[in-house]
Amino acid sequence: MAGLLHGGVAVVTGAGSGIGRASAIAFAREGAEGVVVADIDERGGTQTTRMVEEVGGRAVFIRCDVSSEPDVERMVQTAIESFGGLHYAHNNAGTAPRPAMLADVTVEDWDRLTAVHLKGVWLCMKHEIRHLAAHGGGAIVNTSSTAGLVGQPLLSAYSAAKHGIIGVTRTAALEYGDQGIRVNAIAPGGVETPMLADVGGATAEVQRAMGAEPAALPNPLGRLSQPIEQAEAVVWLCSDRASYLTGAVLPVDGGVSAQ
């Protein structure tokens, strides 16, 4: 298939729904030879695999908890064994935050959020980079958030983790650019995904903070993003069209961060 990519193998975490699912499909549509669909949600991951195949791509699902180093190692090994290598990665797995004032956040919630969002991205990059560095380079995109660009009331652990993702993205870009590895991040605003729906029962303030009420959190485009709009940015960042871009954080937020 002709597209932005000229072959290559991609891994996508959190690919069982939302942005990750759209990303896995977009990688296949744009010419990736194979896609590793990674998620803890086996049903969602299997559905995404079928959807990739429906657009003419090849995909394999692996159950992966990104906070577990053995799981992450198996994910990378699956790419190598199933498709012969690894060239692109979208580290996207996340979990919904439980809203609370900073002094009321439990240690358990802090550890849960940071383990998936921040430790998970670090573990994925650690093992992806080891392979990419030994095989001529590649491209990585991490999913941060507009909550990683500014503070977010009632979402301190989530915001801290998303800020941390930007930090490790920029650091990895500096450390591995001379080995042909580009590392960038996207910072979505409100995206119409199952995770956003999880805040439906939260307070109005939290819903606004997460972008669930676009009228209350206005942006110049006046609407939520669709997952495919995030995925298009991810694949472009991995493509040769973005060959001189590394260490960048791309806000895909309808203009929220411009305000």
Side-chain angles (χ1 to χ4, degrees):
M1 299 188 301
L4 284 175
L5 308 175
H6 306 288
V9 178
V11 297
V12 182
T13 67
S17 64
I19 295 172
R21 170 173 286 175
S23 178
I25 294 168
F27 271 114
R29 188 194 65 227
E30 293 297 333
E33 295 173 4
V35 180
V36 175
V37 173
D39 205 299
I40 59 170
D41 177 3
E42 295 187 23
R43 181 177 179 183
T46 300
Q47 290 174 341
T48 299
T49 300
R50 287 199 297 267
M51 295 169 79
V52 169
E53 292 168 347
E54 286 171 0
V55 299
R58 299 168 62 209
V60 61
F61 169 72
I62 181 170
R63 189 185 186 284
C64 179
D65 173 359
V66 296
S67 68
S68 164
E69 187 162 22
D71 276 18
V72 171
E73 289 181 284
R74 282 192 293 271
M75 177 187 73
V76 172
Q77 192 60 33
T78 295
I80 297 165
E81 293 175 355
S82 299
F83 303 115
L86 174 63
H87 306 87
Y88 321 112
H90 180 198
N91 300 318
N92 169 76
T95 187
R98 295 191 183 107
M101 295 287 283
L102 186 146
D104 298 323
V105 175
T106 66
V107 170
E108 291 76 17
D109 272 352
W110 182 276
D111 288 347
R112 177 180 65 88
L113 263 293
T114 56
V116 175
H117 289 275
L118 181 53
K119 178 185 175 184
V121 166
W122 165 68
L123 281 174
C124 288
M125 284 203 297
K126 175 181 177 178
H127 291 282
E128 292 156 359
I129 286 171
R130 286 179 175 178
H131 178 82
L132 296 177
H135 295 85
I140 296 172
V141 178
N142 300 318
T143 298
S144 181
S145 167
T146 51
L149 302 174
V150 296
Q152 206 71 282
L154 303 181
L155 299 173
S156 57
Y158 180 80
S159 183
K162 292 301 189 180
H163 274 80
I165 288 170
I166 291 174
V168 296
T169 295
R170 288 172 169 160
T171 299
L174 294 172
E175 291 179 343
Y176 295 100
D178 63 356
Q179 297 183 54
I181 300 171
R182 295 187 300 104
V183 188
N184 295 292
I186 58 168
V191 185
E192 202 167 308
T193 65
M195 193 174 93
L196 186 62
D198 285 346
V199 303
T203 66
E205 186 175 357
V206 172
Q207 292 185 43
R208 286 195 294 272
M210 290 293 289
E213 293 185 356
L217 183 67
N219 64 60
L221 299 185
R223 61 176 178 83
L224 291 173
S225 168
Q226 294 302 307
I228 186 59
E229 294 174 302
Q230 307 296 321
E232 295 284 3
V234 170
V235 175
W236 178 77
L237 285 168
C238 285
S239 76
D240 289 342
R241 303 280 179 89
S243 60
Y244 200 60
L245 196 62
T246 194
V249 180
L250 183 63
V252 190
D253 63 359
V256 167
S257 59
Q259 300 182 85

